[in-house]
Coordinates of all heavy atoms in Angstrom, one line a residue:
V202 N -8.4 -42.3 -73.3 CA -9.0 -43.2 -74.3 C -8.7 -42.8 -75.7 O -8.4 -43.6 -76.6 CB -10.5 -43.3 -74.0 CG1 -11.2 -44.1 -75.1 CG2 -10.8 -44.0 -72.7
R203 N -8.9 -41.5 -76.0 CA -8.7 -41.0 -77.3 C -7.2 -41.2 -77.7 O -6.9 -41.5 -78.9 CB -9.0 -39.5 -77.4 CG -10.5 -39.3 -77.3 CD -10.9 -37.8 -77.6 NE -12.3 -37.5 -77.3 CZ -12.9 -36.4 -77.6 NH1 -12.1 -35.4 -78.1 NH2 -14.1 -36.2 -77.4
L204 N -6.3 -40.9 -76.8 CA -4.9 -41.1 -77.1 C -4.6 -42.6 -77.4 O -3.9 -42.9 -78.4 CB -4.0 -40.6 -76.0 CG -2.5 -40.8 -76.1 CD1 -2.0 -39.9 -77.3 CD2 -1.8 -40.3 -74.9
H205 N -5.1 -43.5 -76.7 CA -4.9 -44.9 -76.9 C -5.5 -45.3 -78.2 O -4.8 -46.1 -79.0 CB -5.6 -45.7 -75.8 CG -5.5 -47.2 -76.0 ND1 -4.4 -47.9 -75.8 CD2 -6.5 -48.1 -76.4 CE1 -4.6 -49.2 -76.0 NE2 -5.9 -49.3 -76.4
R206 N -6.6 -44.9 -78.6 CA -7.3 -45.2 -79.8 C -6.5 -44.6 -81.0 O -6.4 -45.3 -82.1 CB -8.7 -44.8 -79.9 CG -9.6 -45.6 -79.0 CD -11.1 -45.1 -79.0 NE -11.9 -45.9 -78.1 CZ -13.2 -45.6 -77.9 NH1 -13.8 -44.5 -78.4 NH2 -13.9 -46.3 -77.1
A207 N -6.0 -43.4 -80.8 CA -5.2 -42.8 -81.9 C -3.9 -43.6 -82.2 O -3.6 -43.9 -83.4 CB -4.8 -41.4 -81.5
K208 N -3.3 -44.0 -81.1 CA -2.1 -44.8 -81.3 C -2.4 -46.2 -81.9 O -1.7 -46.7 -82.8 CB -1.4 -45.1 -80.0 CG -0.7 -43.8 -79.4 CD 0.0 -44.2 -78.1 CE 0.8 -43.0 -77.5 NZ 1.5 -43.3 -76.3
H209 N -3.5 -46.7 -81.5 CA -3.9 -48.1 -82.0 C -4.2 -48.0 -83.5 O -3.9 -48.9 -84.3 CB -5.1 -48.5 -81.3 CG -5.6 -49.9 -81.7 ND1 -4.9 -51.1 -81.4 CD2 -6.7 -50.3 -82.4 CE1 -5.6 -52.1 -81.9 NE2 -6.7 -51.6 -82.5
M210 N -4.8 -46.8 -84.0 CA -5.2 -46.7 -85.4 C -4.0 -46.4 -86.3 O -4.1 -46.6 -87.5 CB -6.2 -45.6 -85.5 CG -7.6 -46.1 -85.0 SD -8.9 -44.8 -85.3 CE -8.5 -43.6 -84.0
L211 N -2.9 -46.0 -85.7 CA -1.7 -45.7 -86.5 C -1.0 -47.0 -86.8 O -1.0 -48.0 -86.0 CB -0.7 -44.8 -85.8 CG -1.2 -43.3 -85.7 CD1 -0.2 -42.5 -84.8 CD2 -1.3 -42.7 -87.0
K212 N -0.3 -47.1 -87.9 CA 0.5 -48.3 -88.2 C 1.6 -48.6 -87.2 O 2.2 -47.6 -86.7 CB 1.1 -48.1 -89.6 CG 0.1 -47.9 -90.7 CD -0.7 -49.1 -91.0 CE -1.6 -48.9 -92.2 NZ -2.4 -50.1 -92.6
D213 N 1.8 -49.8 -86.9 CA 2.9 -50.2 -86.0 C 4.2 -49.7 -86.4 O 5.1 -49.3 -85.6 CB 3.0 -51.7 -85.9 CG 1.8 -52.3 -85.1 OD1 1.1 -51.5 -84.4 OD2 1.5 -53.5 -85.2
K214 N 4.5 -49.6 -87.7 CA 5.8 -49.2 -88.2 C 6.0 -47.7 -88.0 O 7.1 -47.3 -88.1 CB 5.9 -49.5 -89.7 CG 4.9 -48.8 -90.6 CD 5.1 -49.2 -92.0 CE 4.0 -48.5 -92.9 NZ 4.2 -49.0 -94.3
L215 N 4.9 -47.0 -87.6 CA 5.1 -45.5 -87.4 C 5.4 -45.2 -85.9 O 5.8 -44.1 -85.6 CB 3.8 -44.8 -87.8 CG 3.4 -44.8 -89.2 CD1 2.1 -44.0 -89.5 CD2 4.5 -44.3 -90.1
F216 N 5.3 -46.2 -85.1 CA 5.5 -45.9 -83.6 C 6.9 -45.5 -83.4 O 7.2 -44.7 -82.4 CB 5.2 -47.2 -82.8 CG 3.7 -47.4 -82.7 CD1 3.3 -48.6 -82.1 CD2 2.8 -46.5 -83.2 CE1 1.9 -48.8 -82.0 CE2 1.4 -46.8 -83.1 CZ 1.0 -47.9 -82.5
E217 N 7.9 -45.9 -84.2 CA 9.3 -45.5 -84.0 C 9.5 -44.0 -84.1 O 10.5 -43.5 -83.6 CB 10.2 -46.3 -84.9 CG 10.1 -47.8 -84.7 CD 11.0 -48.6 -85.7 OE1 11.7 -47.9 -86.5 OE2 11.1 -49.8 -85.6
V218 N 8.6 -43.4 -84.9 CA 8.9 -41.9 -85.1 C 7.8 -41.1 -84.5 O 7.6 -39.9 -84.9 CB 8.9 -41.7 -86.7 CG1 10.1 -42.3 -87.3 CG2 7.6 -42.2 -87.4
T219 N 7.1 -41.6 -83.5 CA 6.1 -40.8 -82.8 C 6.6 -39.6 -82.1 O 5.8 -38.7 -81.7 CB 5.2 -41.6 -81.9 OG1 6.1 -42.3 -81.0 CG2 4.4 -42.6 -82.7
T220 N 7.9 -39.6 -81.8 CA 8.5 -38.4 -81.0 C 9.1 -37.4 -82.0 O 9.8 -36.5 -81.5 CB 9.5 -38.9 -80.0 OG1 10.5 -39.6 -80.7 CG2 8.9 -39.8 -79.0

Side-chain angles (χ1 to χ4, degrees):
V202 169
R203 291 188 185 186
L204 178 62
H205 175 75
R206 290 180 179 174
K208 289 182 177 181
H209 181 71
M210 287 184 283
L211 290 174
K212 301 289 186 180
D213 289 342
K214 62 183 178 181
L215 296 181
F216 286 172
E217 297 179 2
V218 290
T219 55
T220 58

